[in-house]
Amino acid sequence: MNVQSLGRTALGFIQYLGELSVLFSETCVSVASAPIRWKLFVRQVLEVGFRSQLVVIVTGGFTGAVFAYQTYLQFHKVGMDSAVGAVVAVSMFRELGPVLTGLMVAGRVGAAIAAEIGTMKVTEQIDALRSLGVHPIDYLVVPRTLALLLSMPLLVAESCALGILASIFVGTKVLDISEAYFISTMVKFAGGSDISMAMIKGFVFAMIVVFVACHQGLNTKNGAVGVGRAPTEAVVISSLLILVINFFLSFALNIIYPVGR
Amino acid sequence: MISVRNLHKTLGTQHVLRGVQLEIRRGETCVVLGRSGCGKSVLLKHFIGLLKPSSGQVLVDNEDIGALHERQLGAIRKKVGILFQSGALFDSMTVEENIAFPLREAGVRDRREISDRVAEALEMVDLAGEQAKMPENLSGGMRKRVGLARTIVSRPACILYDEPTTGLDPIATDSINHLIRRLQKRLQVTSVVVTHDMKTAFHTADRIIFLHEGRVYFEGTPDALHASADPVLQDFVEGRSGESD
Ligand SMILES: Nc1ncnc2c1ncn2[C@@H]1O[C@H](COP(=O)(O)OP(=O)(O)O)[C@@H](O)[C@H]1O
Ligand SMILES: [Mg+2]
């Protein structure tokens, strides 16, 4: 890659972030000035939140289980079996729960949002909305944004809870670690600050998923080909953003919520 | 009612409209003719602010709508309704919900009134009793007519038709042509009909505007168009491509 194309890529990325922030500010304006469509909001909560539960629970549960097993294999060598629960719980809350939920929701919900809005765009349904005096941001973006902001922290919580329950099961029933020790160290080392971090990350990842997906949908062009591309790009972009932003977010949040407090 | 002054529009790299100048008068039916791809739909979308001029002005009731933000265009869009070329029905809603949409948005809450007005609009477009169908189960012509019902249900003062009869069978075409006349006579609706169908043009038009190479090439009565000796107009009216086998 030469300097010129590197520069173009960087400019393109900055422009993309600019477009996302325009969408974000238009959404804020809409929430502040236009009546919120609660019916659509409820439908979206069912669509994006309620129906995502199975995926998120399975992901969280099996991650917690296998993570407990691998941690045990290492910790057992140095006789720290009882610390397994604490490691799993802290990691689930701080990193694995939010990130895995974010990625699963990006794949399931982000893709669906981009495809749906993209189809509406290329079949002139968005123009039809506008011609009937309905702002597409009010009608399409705001209900989805609010639904995801509500659902995501709850999904993260479910994912973490299942991961921890699975680790308790594997640790105490399969690996025969003392139940009392396992749980007491877990409770001692994992607490409110870890849960706060999970919730904050859930909010941030919800914003990433919903704005990237809505942006892709609203900017869909070129008919069926474009509609095919919109969800793929939405998933790729939002997944990468989640992973990168998560890294910096962990550093920033660790200042506010230091580990083990 | 609508006046367009020196309108230019560039889409991508294509200079589609190159200085369109025209006037739509209150109460008339004006037909905009032109070859496919010459910018008729693009022009029509400027009339309700779905597209913004690259330069020039679009005035609706003497208000320059090019300068308005999306949220300020609501009043214009209550006055001016548009029928899209594809119908543009909301595909997650039934026919009834599609047609009821503008009423609900306008604040009508009475279920009885809504269902009566939906039935009435469907009757006008010859689709009585099709309320429960989903758009995906309708033919192209039926979708267009449901789209028209959705446009007329809120009684706009001006209706923009984007190819209302293209792709319809001859009988449906004839009934839409009559409907356009009827709406204009009974409700004094101002109509702009974009088409390349000469039958629709001559049946509905008080005045015809011919769009060619991004500009208004001809403007006059249907009779004047018929009588014109201009080769471009003649070829279009007669349907001659200048090719031979
Ligand atoms: N959104 C768009 N982006 C780029 N080009 C467009 C767009 N919409 C229309 N065009 C181009 O503008 C020209 C006029 O299109 P249109 O107004 O739809 O033609 P018609 O007269 O058949 O309705 C066409 O050449 C079309 O390719
Ligand atoms: Mg067209």
Side-chain angles (χ1 to χ4, degrees):
Chain A
M1 218 198 290
N2 60 29
V3 178
Q4 235 174 9
S5 68
L6 194 72
R8 220 173 295 128
T9 311
L11 280 181
F13 182 67
I14 290 169
Q15 186 191 344
Y16 179 73
L17 291 185
E19 287 174 17
L20 280 190
S21 23
V22 169
L23 182 60
F24 174 74
S25 64
E26 280 182 346
T27 306
C28 294
V29 168
S30 169
V31 170
S33 63
I36 289 170
R37 292 164 184 268
W38 293 111
K39 235 188 227 171
L40 295 176
F41 165 76
V42 171
R43 196 189 301 164
Q44 289 300 323
V45 169
L46 291 181
E47 195 62 45
V48 308
F50 195 73
R51 301 221 177 105
S52 295
Q53 287 181 105
L54 183 64
V55 174
V56 161
I57 284 173
V58 171
T59 310
F62 278 95
T63 303
V66 80
F67 192 39
Y69 177 58
Q70 290 291 357
T71 313
Y72 168 82
L73 291 183
Q74 302 300 321
F75 278 25
H76 186 61
K77 295 185 204 156
V78 289
M80 284 175 60
D81 293 8
S82 65
V84 169
V87 170
V88 171
V90 170
S91 315
M92 279 312 287
F93 280 130
R94 290 189 162 242
E95 304 292 342
L96 293 172
V99 170
L100 290 174
T101 306
L103 294 178
M104 296 316 274
V105 171
R108 195 187 163 280
V109 177
I113 290 175
E116 195 183 354
I117 297 183
T119 305
M120 291 185 73
K121 175 75 193 303
V122 301
T123 55
E124 292 186 311
Q125 290 179 60
I126 304 236
D127 277 346
L129 275 180
R130 295 171 62 204
S131 79
L132 296 168
V134 176
H135 201 302
I137 302 279
D138 298 356
Y139 194 82
L140 298 170
V141 180
V142 169
R144 286 169 173 78
T145 304
L146 296 181
L148 219 54
L149 284 179
L150 173 73
S151 307
M152 192 76 126
L154 295 176
L155 291 171
V156 169
E158 278 183 87
S159 161
C160 293
L162 260 289
I164 289 167
L165 285 178
S167 77
I168 294 175
F169 176 79
V170 170
T172 59
K173 299 287 183 290
V174 181
L175 304 173
D176 274 337
I177 305 171
S178 143
E179 195 167 327
Y181 270 131
F182 193 93
I183 290 178
S184 69
T185 47
M186 187 185 262
V187 171
K188 189 170 157 207
F189 286 103
S193 68
D194 304 303
I195 296 173
S196 308
M197 201 154 157
M199 296 299 100
I200 290 170
K201 283 186 170 180
F203 269 117
V204 174
F205 298 163
M207 303 257 239
I208 293 174
V209 169
V210 79
F211 287 123
V212 168
C214 288
H215 176 266
Q216 287 296 328
L218 290 171
N219 288 289
T220 303
K221 292 190 184 82
N222 304 327
V225 179
V227 174
R229 209 172 282 154
T232 317
E233 304 224 318
V235 174
V236 171
I237 294 172
S238 51
S239 300
L240 291 180
L241 278 180
I242 285 174
L243 291 168
V244 174
I245 288 177
N246 176 62
F247 176 76
F248 294 104
L249 207 53
S250 292
F251 275 80
L253 287 175
N254 196 51
I255 299 170
I256 313 172
Y257 302 115
V259 179
R261 202 68 64 74
Chain B
M1 170 137 212
I2 300 173
S3 45
V4 175
R5 294 184 190 156
N6 198 22
L7 172 63
H8 286 260
K9 181 67 181 179
T10 306
L11 282 163
T13 54
Q14 201 179 347
H15 197 169
V16 182
L17 301 178
R18 307 166 176 225
V20 175
Q21 195 91 15
L22 59 82
E23 196 81 32
I24 309 288
R25 301 181 198 117
R26 187 171 295 280
E28 74 168 345
T29 299
C30 179
V31 168
V32 179
L33 284 175
R35 298 192 57 178
S36 203
C38 76
K40 303 184 296 295
S41 299
V42 169
L43 176 65
L44 213 55
K45 285 180 183 170
H46 280 86
F47 292 178
I48 50 167
L50 291 176
L51 289 173
K52 297 260 176 240
S54 298
S55 72
Q57 288 177 314
V58 177
L59 289 90
V60 178
D61 285 341
N62 297 320
E63 191 173 6
D64 182 2
I65 66 168
L68 297 180
H69 293 296
E70 185 75 19
R71 285 186 197 281
Q72 298 170 316
L73 284 164
I76 302 290
R77 288 169 179 171
K78 281 211 179 76
K79 273 190 282 200
V80 185
I82 182 168
L83 166 65
F84 289 91
Q85 195 165 343
S86 62
L89 299 180
F90 302 126
D91 52 20
S92 59
M93 301 181 194
T94 64
V95 167
E96 165 135 40
E97 289 163 342
N98 263 284
I99 302 172
F101 188 88
L103 297 177
R104 297 224 167 87
E105 286 301 320
V108 181
R109 285 284 166 273
D110 184 40
R111 272 158 203 259
R112 195 55 201 265
E113 185 188 346
I114 289 176
S115 83
D116 285 353
R117 286 178 68 176
V118 168
E120 184 194 18
L122 273 175
E123 209 157 310
M124 280 204 234
V125 297
D126 276 333
L127 285 174
E130 304 279 9
Q131 275 93 332
K133 288 217 173 114
M134 294 303 286
E136 59 180 12
N137 301 326
L138 300 176
S139 73
M142 288 164 90
R143 269 181 226 162
K144 211 170 257 187
R145 284 184 282 160
V146 174
L148 182 52
R150 185 178 65 188
T151 309
I152 60 180
V153 75
S154 53
R155 302 269 158 78
C158 173
I159 301 178
L160 314 173
Y161 302 84
D162 195 349
E163 311 213 354
T165 57
T166 307
L168 266 60
D169 65 73
I171 294 172
T173 301
D174 193 53
S175 90
I176 295 287
N177 290 344
H178 282 287
L179 177 66
I180 294 172
R181 294 289 333 167
R182 212 159 54 228
L183 286 169
Q184 191 228 357
K185 283 216 187 81
R186 291 218 195 118
L187 309 169
Q188 277 82 50
V189 174
T190 309
S191 314
V192 182
V193 184
V194 159
T195 186
H196 49 68
D197 177 0
M198 295 314 296
K199 228 174 156 189
T200 299
F202 285 117
H203 190 282
T204 56
D206 295 322
R207 204 155 56 90
I208 291 180
I209 287 173
F210 187 85
L211 216 58
H212 185 62
E213 292 179 340
R215 287 194 197 86
V216 174
Y217 187 81
F218 164 90
E219 186 179 343
T221 61
D223 290 338
L225 178 64
H226 242 320
S228 166
D230 186 296
V232 174
L233 298 177
Q234 279 293 312
D235 287 350
F236 190 87
V237 172
E238 309 276 331
R240 279 193 301 253
S241 71
E243 289 173 36
S244 60
D245 302 322

